[in-house]
């Protein structure tokens, strides 16, 4: 027996620029579930930053988090599968961040930790304050990322931003060459760094095959470079209209942007 699956990126795809879900998308995805589709979130986010969307979608599937670094079971509240950063590589990366004066947000266990509040941290923390207390992600300022990396159970990824984009791009090249880590752009000014080999497409494929299903029956929606592996692995890769051209060329179909009813229209036209 096979199953039809809809894999959903969040930021820039299912979410509007204001980090909200369109009512049309919720209605269409609800109808898709009623028609037998399985829905799964595949995101660069930490699992603690997904609660409001997971609950609004009324999901019971695990979530693929931090660009495929781990698979999280919300019902059991535990990690099912994971490939975190080895501590020695996390420490090497932190040394480079310090040397280049680039500030990083480190995703660990059940929290996101940082030394200095940069724009990305402030924006996300402000968003978190708009949520009910039980849905707020945990942000913790720490005196030392290096010490935190030694103390936690798992380092999932680093999210780096810098106002000087060429500086950040050069830093990424150095990290790839020197440390051999996975560097994927998840926003126009944010790069995510994780263990080599981790990707949305790889983790999604593993989960699909573990259920005895086929990637041919997966429809994946995404908008950024960290979605390319998923768009290419799926039977149908759907890129948002707000995606860069380089992402659109790797998808099977391009729809409207994340401010319109494009996802709902695609579901009604092609899936139901």
């Amino acid at each position: 027996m096979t199953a039809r699956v809809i894999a959903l990126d969040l930021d820039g795809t299912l979410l509007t620029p204001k980090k909200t879900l369109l009512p049309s998308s919720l209605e269409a995805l609800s109808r898709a579930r009623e028609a037998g589709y399985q829905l799964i979130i595949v995101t660069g986010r930490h699992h603690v930053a997904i609660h409001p969307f997971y609950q609004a979608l009324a999901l019971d599937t695990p979530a693929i988090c931090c660009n495929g670094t781990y698979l999280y079971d919300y019902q059991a509240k535990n990690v099912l599968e994971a490939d975190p950063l080895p501590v020695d590589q996390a420490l090497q990366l932190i040394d480079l961040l310090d040397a280049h004066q680039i500030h990083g947000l480190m995703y660990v266990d059940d929290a996101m930790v940082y030394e200095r509040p940069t724009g990305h941290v402030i924006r996300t923390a402000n968003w978190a304050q708009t949520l009910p207390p039980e849905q707020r992600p945990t942000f913790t300022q720490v005196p030392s990322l290096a010490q935190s990396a030694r103390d936690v159970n798992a380092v999932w990824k680093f999210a780096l931003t810098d106002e000087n984009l060429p500086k950040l791009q050069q830093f990424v090249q150095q990290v790839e060459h020197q440390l051999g880590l996975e560097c994927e752009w998840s926003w126009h000014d944010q790069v995510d760094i994780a263990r080599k080999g981790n990707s949305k497409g790889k983790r999604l494929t593993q989960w699909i095959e573990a259920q005895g299903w086929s990637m041919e029956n997966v429809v994946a929606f995404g908008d950024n470079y960290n979605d390319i592996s998923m768009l290419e692995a799926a039977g149908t890769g759907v890129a948002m209209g707000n995606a860069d051209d380089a992402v659109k060329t790797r998808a099977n179909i391009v729809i409207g942007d994340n401010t319109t009813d494009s996802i709902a229209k695609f579901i009604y036209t092609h899936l139901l």
Side-chain angles (χ1 to χ4, degrees):
M1 180 179 176
T2 189
R4 297 174 298 175
V5 177
I6 298 174
L8 298 155
D9 169 55
L10 290 177
D11 296 282
T13 300
L14 189 60
L15 302 185
T16 70
K18 294 183 179 180
K19 308 303 179 188
T20 59
L21 291 161
L22 292 171
S24 61
S25 297
L26 281 174
E27 176 65 22
L29 289 167
S30 176
R31 292 193 182 186
R33 285 191 67 195
E34 292 171 0
Y37 280 89
Q38 298 283 330
L39 309 183
I40 182 169
I41 288 175
V42 188
T43 181
R45 288 184 178 228
H46 196 298
H47 69 267
V48 299
I50 302 173
H51 286 294
F53 317 118
Y54 189 91
Q55 292 169 3
L57 291 164
L59 300 183
D60 56 10
T61 49
I64 293 174
C65 303
C66 289
N67 299 326
T69 293
Y70 65 103
L71 184 69
Y72 187 78
D73 185 335
Y74 272 94
Q75 275 63 46
K77 292 183 171 56
N78 70 339
V79 174
L80 300 174
E81 299 173 0
D83 294 291
L85 265 172
V87 174
D88 62 327
Q89 286 193 311
L91 294 175
Q92 289 175 331
L93 177 56
I94 292 167
D95 284 342
L96 280 180
L97 290 171
D98 290 341
H100 290 264
Q101 294 186 318
I102 292 177
H103 305 316
L105 183 63
M106 188 168 71
Y107 292 49
V108 302
D109 298 345
D110 296 312
M112 289 164 282
V113 300
Y114 62 94
E115 289 183 5
R116 302 172 193 84
T118 59
H120 168 66
V121 173
I122 294 168
R123 288 194 303 271
T124 311
N126 288 340
W127 165 77
Q129 290 304 308
T130 68
L131 301 173
E134 66 275 10
Q135 291 185 343
R136 289 175 191 166
T138 302
F139 286 92
T140 305
Q141 188 166 14
V142 296
S144 167
L145 285 183
Q147 189 57 50
S148 293
R150 297 185 185 98
D151 292 341
V152 298
N153 293 316
V155 176
W156 304 127
K157 76 166 189 179
F158 286 78
L160 313 182
T161 58
D162 197 280
E163 293 180 359
N164 185 336
L165 196 55
K167 173 186 174 184
L168 188 59
Q169 291 168 334
Q170 290 176 353
F171 180 79
V172 168
Q173 292 175 353
Q174 182 176 350
V175 169
E176 289 176 328
H177 177 73
Q178 192 170 325
L179 301 183
L181 297 177
E182 200 71 49
C183 301
E184 293 187 305
W185 293 87
S186 59
W187 205 244
H188 66 276
D189 63 350
Q190 177 177 316
V191 64
D192 298 339
I193 300 182
R195 186 171 185 162
K196 186 68 175 177
N198 288 354
S199 72
K200 290 185 175 186
K202 179 181 178 181
R203 186 68 68 186
L204 178 60
T205 300
Q206 289 174 346
W207 181 73
I208 290 292
E209 292 179 348
Q211 313 310 307
W213 303 336
S214 169
M215 287 296 291
E216 279 300 309
N217 296 307
V218 175
V219 179
F221 293 85
D223 76 297
N224 223 309
Y225 290 90
N226 60 332
D227 295 314
I228 288 175
S229 63
M230 174 173 72
L231 296 176
E232 291 187 328
T236 304
V238 183
M240 304 301 293
N242 48 286
D244 285 352
D245 288 342
V247 178
K248 293 176 181 177
T249 60
R250 312 289 277 275
N252 302 107
I253 299 171
V254 178
I255 59 175
D257 67 35
N258 62 329
T259 66
T260 68
D261 297 332
S262 55
I263 290 178
K265 289 177 180 176
F266 180 89
I267 290 172
Y268 292 133
T269 304
H270 297 278
L271 306 185
L272 298 180

